[in-house]
Amino acid sequence: MITLTFGEIAAAVSGRFEAAGTDASEFTPVSGYVETDSREIEPGGIFVAKPGDVTDGHRFVGPAVDNGAALAIVEHTVDVAVAQIVVPDAVIALGALAAEVVRRVKAAGDLTVIGITGSNGKTTTKNLLGAILSPDAETVMPRNSFNNTVGAPTTMLRVTEGTRYLISEMGASGPGHIARLAALARPKIGIELKVGMAHAGGFGGIEQTAAAKTELVAALPADGVAILNRDDPRVVAMADKTPARVVWFGEHDESDIRASDIVVTATGTHFTVITPDGDSIPVSFKVLGEHHVWNALAALAAARELGVPMDVAVRRLESVSRAERWRMEVMGGRDGVTIINDAYNASPDSMSAALKTLALVTERGQRTVAVLGAMSELGEFSGEEHDRIGLLAVRLGIDQLVVVGPEARRLHISAINEGSWAGESVYVETADDAYEYLEQQLRAGDTVLVKSSNSVGLRFLGDRLGELFS
């Protein structure tokens, strides 16, 4: 974070400074990282005592100080010897501090903020764009998938006076969430990837999801750029909702940054990118899955707007070996067994894309095995969406389906109803049960997809299988 005094922070968050038994004053400077997890605090850091669903951050002010916290932002005074700023709401204060820091860095330097949203692909696109931009200038982007009202401001607070690019993932589980994040970061470039059924339970349906995702481009300035997916009709409709200039990406002929000749293999995805300048550049993209081509195009479009030559951007894109930990991560290899661990998250769209990729990359004569857990946060749409995935697995000809956990059992039943009567679909209660089954059943040459929402924890099953066949 940039250097601010305790008094400046108190003013930014509308809080009250208290020395709390220390010799600190309102003129004491601080520049450490801001964290809401006491275990992540480093010397000189700022700890935000956020109340949680399970526990209260105020209980961890002491451990944060033990780790070196110089300041705590709290909702009530804590009996710990550390300078404190007392605020009515710690999460709102975190956002207010982030907004002030970003405002100051913009005013003093050359900071450009890029906002990314979409039902799928935000983290992958963030990583791809970061790989393209970071060799040229200081680039700040989220760790993991820090994209909510806590994670996004925490990322914003990592900017310094020398930061040139801030890439901000903007996730949401309900209306207004993205608008609030956009108001904090004030992005100049906004990327809209896709509108799908992820978090549909919180929004109330896909049209409500589309309206919420539109909040990003609606917040862009008139001299900004909205980078939109020309292949998604709901994203196309956003062009009329933004004051910014529109740049299209996709496979559609009207795309400004267009992909053609897409070929998906077990070693990656190959395509040609076509630019408005008439260039056609072949891309050997190591990230597995045709659905990641959209993410690559979005990153290339943003990079072009920021002045990176397309051939340079493509070369840096090709250096990325995986989207992210547990996202289409290729593991294994012994006896020709390939494990695709894609169990960091799951929505109907990403589940469908992963199954299609499994079918595409497996060579003739080899078995396809899909180990699937539940897709969370679908609300009233959960049953029908799990049904749809079960039907898709059968229609794609997946040789063996292993369904894990009671929340996903309907997927197994749908597969049976569609024709998987002879053991092609197996249901097990736990990830341990699945491991024991697969340990005995997998054979040389199998390609195995492990896919579920993060809360189900199948990513760890994927790791175990990858280690088993390493």
Side-chain angles (χ1 to χ4, degrees):
M1 191 184 78
I2 63 173
T3 300
L4 296 173
T5 66
F6 291 166
E8 288 173 320
I9 294 173
V13 302
S14 302
R16 182 183 75 254
F17 171 76
E18 295 188 6
T22 71
D23 59 2
S25 75
E26 294 190 9
F27 301 102
T28 301
V30 63
S31 59
Y33 289 137
V34 181
E35 303 287 356
T36 60
D37 186 335
S38 62
R39 296 167 295 185
E40 300 292 330
I41 287 288
E42 297 178 3
I46 300 171
F47 177 63
V48 179
K50 177 181 71 72
D53 296 331
V54 177
T55 188
D56 186 346
H58 293 80
R59 296 175 53 198
F60 300 95
V61 173
V65 173
D66 291 341
N67 286 337
L71 174 69
I73 296 177
V74 296
E75 294 183 1
H76 57 78
T77 305
V78 178
D79 188 18
V80 176
V82 63
Q84 299 172 33
I85 295 175
V86 184
V87 297
D89 188 304
V91 174
I92 291 176
L94 177 67
L97 180 58
E100 176 65 10
V101 167
V102 170
R103 184 193 67 77
R104 288 185 181 222
V105 175
K106 281 184 176 180
D110 193 21
L111 177 67
T112 297
V113 180
I114 305 102
I116 303 174
T117 195
S119 298
N120 306 106
K122 294 184 293 297
T123 299
T124 299
T125 305
K126 170 260 297 185
N127 287 337
L128 298 177
L129 184 56
I132 296 170
L133 297 179
S134 57
D136 293 332
E138 182 178 311
T139 302
V140 171
M141 58 185 185
R143 295 171 291 170
N144 303 316
S145 296
F146 280 22
N147 59 30
N148 60 15
T149 54
V150 173
T154 301
T155 298
M156 297 173 200
L157 285 163
R158 299 180 85 85
V159 301
T160 70
E161 291 85 349
T163 302
R164 175 73 182 278
Y165 303 115
L166 169 61
I167 304 172
S168 181
E169 278 189 57
M170 296 186 176
S173 54
H177 294 181
I178 292 173
R180 286 196 290 273
L181 296 178
L184 302 181
R186 300 192 179 278
K188 181 75 171 290
I189 296 175
I191 298 174
E192 294 276 0
L193 296 167
K194 180 179 176 59
V195 177
M197 289 295 291
H199 309 293
F203 291 108
I206 196 163
E207 296 306 328
Q208 290 84 350
T209 302
K213 298 298 181 185
T214 304
E215 292 168 5
L216 171 57
V217 295
L220 294 174
D223 62 346
V225 182
I227 298 176
L228 306 183
N229 185 345
R230 185 61 182 82
D231 297 329
D232 186 327
R234 291 184 174 86
V235 175
V236 171
M238 297 180 188
D240 294 333
K241 306 294 194 303
T242 181
R245 175 170 56 87
V246 172
V247 172
W248 300 106
F249 69 91
E251 296 176 60
H252 195 284
D253 289 343
E254 294 179 1
S255 301
D256 298 294
I257 302 297
R258 181 164 65 90
S260 66
D261 306 319
I262 300 173
V263 177
V264 180
T265 72
T267 59
T269 307
H270 307 273
F271 62 95
T272 299
V273 61
I274 301 168
T275 75
D277 305 315
D279 297 326
S280 295
I281 304 173
V283 182
S284 294
F285 189 37
K286 296 184 182 71
V287 178
L288 198 63
E290 183 175 359
H291 53 296
H292 284 306
V293 172
W294 279 350
N295 305 329
L297 294 174
L300 291 171
R304 183 175 183 272
E305 291 298 318
L306 292 166
V308 181
M310 188 58 62
D311 59 335
V312 173
V314 167
R315 185 173 70 250
R316 292 173 181 172
L317 186 77
E318 292 179 325
S319 72
V320 179
S321 59
R322 67 180 183 188
E324 177 80 21
R325 182 82 165 96
W326 299 309
R327 286 179 167 87
M328 298 304 285
E329 183 176 8
V330 179
M331 310 168 76
R334 179 173 61 82
D335 299 331
V337 175
T338 300
I339 310 296
I340 303 172
N341 193 352
D342 193 35
Y344 187 84
N345 222 332
S347 68
D349 291 318
S350 68
M351 187 77 85
S352 298
L355 285 170
K356 291 173 183 176
T357 298
L358 173 65
L360 278 171
V361 303
T362 305
E363 296 180 6
R364 182 174 298 179
Q366 294 180 323
R367 284 201 314 168
T368 50
V369 181
V371 185
L372 306 181
M375 302 175 289
S376 60
E377 300 185 62
L378 293 176
E380 64 182 289
F381 307 100
S382 180
E384 63 189 73
E385 292 300 329
H386 282 88
D387 285 347
R388 189 170 66 83
I389 295 301
L391 299 180
L392 178 64
V394 176
R395 291 169 183 174
L396 287 172
I398 304 301
D399 296 302
Q400 180 67 68
L401 185 61
V402 180
V403 179
V404 185
E407 295 84 2
R409 191 169 185 272
R410 187 160 166 174
L411 193 160
H412 166 65
I413 294 170
S414 296
I416 292 175
N417 289 340
E418 186 67 8
S420 295
W421 304 312
E424 296 96 339
S425 183
V426 174
Y427 171 76
V428 296
E429 287 283 336
T430 69
D432 287 340
D433 293 337
Y435 180 83
E436 292 176 8
Y437 176 81
L438 292 162
E439 187 179 25
Q440 298 300 317
Q441 296 296 320
L442 292 180
R443 57 181 187 245
D446 285 351
T447 303
V448 185
L449 169 70
V450 183
K451 180 74 172 169
S452 74
S453 282
N454 197 9
S455 58
V456 180
L458 291 196
R459 62 195 185 280
F460 304 118
L461 171 63
D463 285 344
R464 291 177 69 189
L465 293 171
E467 184 176 346
L468 178 65
F469 288 97
S470 63

